[in-house]
Amino acid sequence: MANTTVKGALAIHGQNPQFLVETVIRNRIWESTYWKEHCFALTAESLINKAIELHCIGGVYGNQRPTEFLCLLLKLLQIQPQKEILIEYLQADEFKYMRALAAMYIRMTFRAAEVYEVLEPLMKDYRKLRYRDMAGYSLTYFDEFIHNLLTEERVCDIILPRIAKRQTLEENGEIGPRKSRLLDAMEGRSEDAAGRRSRSSSRSVSRSRNASVEKSRSPSVNGRYVSRSPSRSRSPSRLSYHSRTRSISPDRMEETSNV
């Protein structure tokens, strides 16, 4: 009974959600030790602890043994958590492998328009991911993993359900045009440059106006400044002094003394 889909689960793409995983891989997952010991009676809440402990993504490795990532993916398909819970998985930025697990599940179960709307913002995440396959361990990046989910047919040894191309959905009006982060950055720079130019032009105009006003207020003659205020220090050098007393010559002074 541990391998049956939860009662009341909705059909995904017209079939049982667990059947989205190929029969061979699904049987190997059911027979694996990790499935029997760690995935029994998991719920949408208790599965978080197992997803946090993930240390890699991938499909099968070694002697066709499934990774823990595949086991938890099949468990999600079995219990079919609500959409709000999956969005909470994606918003946990500090747990990148749980985020990758939720992105893989959304790609397999959501409608095409919702897949693009939910997964495309995750391409801003450039963290490294450890990938495990038949060749061993290798490194990939989170944005590259999301790009593969949107463009490739097989990811982590799982054949993904086909979805419509983004261009087709845009022509049908189901989704809007893709927002490019590079284009937004370029538009932001152009707006900043235009703002700086407008500020510099306004400053130059204000400076020229102030200069013209100062020139109009200060009269000049032949390039020299002429003050309009009356001069208070006028020297009376040209005014002659006239004495009111009569001058007496020395001859008259002698005459008067003889008399």
Side-chain angles (χ1 to χ4, degrees):
M1 305 302 161
N3 300 335
T4 58
T5 307
V6 66
K7 187 177 181 179
L10 301 177
I12 304 297
H13 302 292
Q15 59 181 347
N16 190 322
Q18 290 194 87
F19 292 169
L20 295 175
V21 180
E22 298 178 14
T23 305
V24 176
I25 298 179
R26 185 172 67 250
N27 291 333
R28 291 187 182 276
I29 292 174
W30 287 342
E31 295 173 358
S32 64
T33 305
Y34 184 82
W35 175 268
K36 296 177 181 179
E37 294 182 358
H38 300 279
C39 296
F40 180 76
L42 282 180
T43 61
E45 183 179 357
S46 59
L47 188 139
I48 296 177
N49 297 328
K50 299 298 180 181
I52 292 174
E53 297 174 357
L54 289 176
H55 62 279
C56 67
I57 62 174
V60 294
Y61 68 97
N63 190 16
Q64 298 293 325
R65 297 176 58 184
T67 58
E68 299 174 359
F69 181 82
L70 276 188
C71 295
L72 294 181
L73 177 63
L74 184 61
K75 192 65 182 181
L76 283 176
L77 293 172
Q78 185 183 33
I79 62 178
Q80 202 176 56
Q82 297 179 359
K83 182 179 179 180
E84 292 76 11
I85 298 177
L86 295 171
I87 299 301
E88 291 296 329
Y89 286 177
L90 290 179
Q91 293 179 354
D93 298 342
E94 60 272 21
F95 305 116
K96 55 184 179 181
Y97 291 106
M98 183 175 69
R99 209 179 189 194
L101 178 65
M104 184 81 174
Y105 178 83
I106 289 174
R107 170 61 179 85
M108 296 179 66
T109 58
F110 280 26
R111 297 186 305 106
E114 294 177 344
V115 168
Y116 287 106
E117 291 176 355
V118 175
L119 296 188
E120 281 182 347
L122 300 180
M123 298 184 71
K124 300 177 182 179
D125 193 344
Y126 306 114
R127 290 177 293 181
K128 295 180 179 179
L129 293 175
R130 189 182 293 108
Y131 184 82
R132 190 175 190 181
D133 56 3
M134 297 294 295
Y137 287 99
S138 60
L139 285 179
T140 185
Y141 296 88
F142 199 96
D143 60 328
E144 184 178 354
F145 174 70
I146 299 298
H147 181 266
N148 293 336
L149 289 178
L150 296 176
T151 58
E152 300 294 334
E153 296 181 357
R154 180 184 289 268
V155 176
C156 295
D157 296 327
I158 299 295
I159 298 178
L160 301 176
R162 293 187 177 182
I163 59 175
K165 294 184 178 181
R166 199 182 201 290
Q167 182 179 1
T168 305
L169 297 176
E170 291 181 4
E171 293 176 354
N172 295 336
E174 297 184 21
I175 57 175
R178 181 179 177 182
K179 296 181 180 180
S180 174
R181 189 176 184 183
L182 179 60
L183 182 60
D184 294 342
M186 294 176 63
E187 290 179 354
R189 292 179 181 177
S190 62
E191 290 177 358
D192 294 341
R196 293 176 183 175
R197 291 177 182 176
S198 62
R199 287 194 295 269
S200 62
S201 60
S202 61
R203 289 177 181 175
S204 61
V205 170
S206 61
R207 290 178 181 176
S208 60
R209 289 179 178 176
N210 294 335
S212 61
V213 169
E214 291 179 357
K215 289 182 180 180
S216 61
R217 290 180 177 178
S218 58
S220 59
V221 178
N222 296 329
R224 292 180 299 175
Y225 178 78
V226 178
S227 176
R228 293 182 178 179
S229 58
S231 175
R232 296 180 179 179
S233 60
R234 291 185 179 180
S235 59
S237 57
R238 297 182 179 179
L239 298 177
S240 59
Y241 177 76
H242 298 278
S243 175
R244 294 182 180 181
T245 59
R246 297 180 179 178
S247 60
I248 302 174
S249 64
D251 297 337
R252 289 186 177 184
M253 291 178 63
E254 292 179 357
E255 291 179 358
T256 53
S257 59
N258 293 329
V259 174

